[in-house]
């Protein structure tokens, strides 16, 4: 008999989540699903080396009625998806990372997966480090193991690139008629995110009402300020060049600013200090593991309190290197990275790579059910598991 119980507006049935509207699923077009996924976790949050977003796209139109979540898209998971007639696989790790030079079913397991997806019209989307950086994402979920804490990113994500400003000087004195100014105003009206204004030093005016001097005597220098996304800079520059004013222009760019709560890794400053044993037991309970690997800090008593924990889902050796924390928690680190950490005074807990990620999928399934307006069934794979086990 299947156990059925309600969780935050959803029903959990034998390991996967179904929205309450699952009996009357309407589905959504694939582009709409992808658009909502990218609003939820913008792909710009991903690390520069990562390969995220829509990786496999069947020919349109493609309706999505069923989404399956998995940490790794293995051949076992692929078989499960085909059997369950899944429309979209959301694979946390990208199954296509390095470039494929061919798609031959008889060659590598990743090529077989790509071929099988296309033959069965199954789309594949991968968020990977977007979900690591996300506020409320994988790393924040890991920190929940230790109870209440002040949690901040180890490396904050930077916000979207701010628009550029193009400063266009105009001739001194009254400006009666500059036809190209009207053209510039019309161009900016047509370009999303672009605008133009006239400034007499600190005075802002409307470019369409340029004319009389502000006062008798020497006039303040007038300039136009064009604000535009970088994508439209070429179009603005072309118009200014045609008007013969581009050589005197100056382009300025503001720096990107950190996004609150988003970024790589987390530092958790615990409200209540734990012993090392309590911290390890909390990790095991949170991840559902019987065993983890522990390296104790050199020169620090085993009963010393744990007040700070630096966390990185997956492989945290490089991100956690040199971090000052009582405990480092990640999936895997190299032998020498562990030695460096313990000699720097940090305990290290390793849980195997995907064990620090997979448990988040249940939380994600609930959130995606809401994100997709209950029109798409969201389930978690039953075949997905860490390839390593303790024997």
């Amino acid at each position: 008999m299947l156990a059925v119980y309600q969780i935050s507006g959803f029903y959990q049935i034998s390991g996967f989540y179904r929205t309450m509207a699952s009996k009357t699923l309407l589905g959504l077009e694939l582009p709409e699903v992808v658009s909502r996924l990218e609003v939820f976790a913008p792909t710009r949050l991903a690390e520069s080396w990562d390969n995220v977003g829509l990786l496999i796209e069947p020919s349109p139109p493609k309706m999505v009625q069923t989404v399956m979540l998995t940490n790794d898209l293995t051949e076992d998971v692929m078989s499960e998806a085909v059997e369950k007639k899944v429309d979209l696989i959301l694979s946390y790790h990208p199954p296509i990372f390095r470039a494929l030079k061919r798609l031959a079913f008889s060659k590598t397991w990743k090529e077989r997966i790509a071929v099988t997806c296309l033959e069965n019209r199954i789309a594949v989307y991968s968020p990977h480090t977007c979900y690591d950086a996300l506020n409320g994402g994988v790393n924040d979920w890991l920190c929940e193991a230790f109870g209440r804490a002040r949690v901040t990113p180890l490396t904050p994500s930077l916000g979207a690139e701010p628009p550029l400003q193009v400063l266009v000087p105009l001739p001194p004195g009254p400006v009666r008629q500059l036809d190209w100014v009207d053209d510039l105003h019309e161009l900016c009206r047509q370009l999303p995110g672009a605008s133009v204004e006239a400034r007499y030093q600190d005075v802002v005016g409307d470019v369409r009402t340029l004319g009389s001097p502000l006062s008798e005597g020497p006039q303040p220098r007038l300039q136009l300020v064009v604000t535009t996304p970088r994508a439209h800079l070429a179009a603005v520059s072309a118009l200014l060049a045609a008007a013969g004013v581009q050589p005197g222009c100056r382009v300025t760019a503001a720096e990107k600013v950190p996004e609150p709560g988003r970024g790589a890794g987390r530092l958790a400053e615990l409200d209540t200090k734990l012993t090392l044993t309590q911290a390890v037991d909390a990790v095991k309970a949170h991840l559902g593991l019987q065993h983890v690997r522990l390296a104790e800090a050199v020169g620090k008593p085993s009963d010393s309190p744990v007040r700070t924990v630096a966390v990185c889902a997956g492989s945290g050796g490089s991100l956690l290197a040199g971090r000052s924390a009582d405990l480092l928690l990640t999936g895997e680190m190299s032998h020498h990275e562990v030695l460096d950490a313990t000699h720097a005074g940090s305990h290290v807990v390793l849980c195997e790579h995907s064990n620090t990620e997979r448990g988040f999928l249940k939380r994600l399934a609930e959130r995606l059910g809401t994100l997709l307006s209950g029109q798409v069934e969201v389930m978690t794979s039953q075949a997905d598991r860490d390839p390593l086990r303790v024997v």
Side-chain angles (χ1 to χ4, degrees):
M1 179 181 240
L2 295 179
V4 181
Y5 53 95
Q6 190 171 0
I7 300 180
S8 303
F10 296 82
Y11 291 103
Q12 188 182 31
I13 305 177
S14 185
F16 61 87
Y17 291 84
R18 294 180 184 272
T19 67
M20 290 184 290
S22 61
K23 291 183 179 179
T24 56
L25 291 175
L26 301 175
L28 295 169
E29 292 284 353
L30 178 60
E32 176 64 20
V33 173
V34 170
S35 176
R36 295 190 188 193
L37 290 174
E38 294 188 350
V39 169
F40 172 67
T43 53
R44 61 180 168 77
L45 295 178
E47 297 294 328
S48 59
W49 47 261
D50 208 354
N51 188 36
V52 299
L54 185 62
L55 304 186
I56 297 178
E57 179 184 10
S59 59
K62 173 61 184 174
M63 183 67 70
V64 176
Q65 292 183 308
T66 307
V67 175
M68 187 168 74
L69 311 183
T70 185
N71 202 79
D72 294 289
L73 181 47
T74 62
E75 289 194 279
D76 286 344
V77 173
M78 188 73 254
S79 297
E80 179 187 10
V82 172
E83 179 183 349
K84 293 179 176 178
K85 301 186 185 305
V86 166
D87 298 302
L88 170 65
I89 298 172
L90 189 148
S91 177
Y92 170 77
H93 286 139
I96 301 174
F97 190 75
R98 296 179 180 86
L100 296 175
K101 295 185 177 181
R102 63 179 173 236
L103 285 178
F105 190 85
S106 61
K107 296 297 181 180
T108 68
W109 67 277
K110 289 194 174 184
E111 290 176 70
R112 286 194 291 274
I113 284 174
V115 170
T116 302
C117 284
L118 292 172
E119 288 180 339
N120 290 272
R121 294 185 52 75
I122 298 175
V124 177
Y125 186 94
S126 178
H128 201 200
T129 52
C130 298
Y131 283 6
D132 293 349
L134 188 66
N135 191 356
V138 181
N139 284 308
D140 286 318
W141 169 79
L142 270 179
C143 290
E144 292 176 12
F146 305 103
R148 291 177 58 86
R150 178 178 179 269
V151 179
T152 54
L154 292 175
T155 304
S157 294
L158 298 179
E161 183 178 35
L164 304 174
Q165 283 197 333
V166 184
L167 306 181
V168 186
L170 294 177
V175 179
R176 299 294 182 183
Q177 184 66 42
L178 292 174
D179 291 339
W180 63 266
V181 173
D182 291 333
D183 295 337
L184 179 61
H185 182 271
E186 178 60 24
L187 176 65
C188 291
R189 190 185 67 80
Q190 296 176 14
L191 297 176
S195 63
V196 60
E197 63 185 15
R199 292 181 183 172
Y200 289 95
Q201 294 178 344
D202 295 328
V203 180
V204 178
D206 189 321
V207 298
R208 291 165 295 184
T209 60
L210 297 178
S212 302
L214 295 178
S215 62
E216 298 299 327
Q219 297 294 301
R221 186 63 182 265
L222 178 67
Q223 65 180 1
L224 300 181
V225 180
V226 180
T227 302
T228 177
R230 184 176 295 273
H232 303 324
L233 180 60
V236 172
S237 298
L239 188 148
L240 296 176
V245 296
Q246 189 181 32
C249 297
R250 182 162 56 92
V251 179
T252 62
E255 292 186 358
K256 296 181 180 180
V257 297
E259 293 197 63
R262 290 177 166 182
R266 293 294 186 270
L267 178 65
E269 301 173 69
L270 310 187
D271 284 5
T272 303
K273 65 183 180 182
L274 303 173
T275 66
L276 179 58
T277 298
Q278 288 174 327
V280 171
D281 287 344
V283 171
K284 290 180 181 178
H286 190 59
L287 301 185
L289 301 175
Q290 292 185 333
H291 305 282
V292 296
R293 292 188 286 166
L294 170 66
E296 296 188 33
V298 174
K300 182 179 285 188
S302 58
D303 60 352
S304 60
V306 174
R307 295 186 175 90
T308 55
V309 183
V311 166
C312 179
S315 182
S318 59
L319 181 64
L320 298 179
R323 302 290 180 177
S324 178
D326 298 320
L327 176 66
L328 307 183
L329 171 62
T330 186
E332 58 182 336
M333 295 170 67
S334 74
H335 172 80
H336 296 288
E337 288 167 342
V338 171
L339 289 178
D340 287 342
T342 55
H343 280 77
S346 296
H347 304 299
V348 177
V349 172
L350 304 179
C351 307
E352 305 306 345
H353 189 114
S354 69
N355 288 337
T356 58
E357 304 158 338
R358 184 171 289 103
F360 175 72
L361 296 182
K362 291 183 180 179
R363 175 79 54 82
L364 178 64
E366 299 180 45
R367 297 172 73 175
L368 293 188
T370 301
L371 182 72
L372 301 176
S373 306
Q375 298 183 55
V376 176
E377 179 181 343
V378 182
M379 65 176 70
T380 56
S381 169
Q382 302 302 293
D384 178 41
R385 59 181 54 86
D386 194 274
L388 294 172
R389 61 189 180 94
V390 178
V391 296

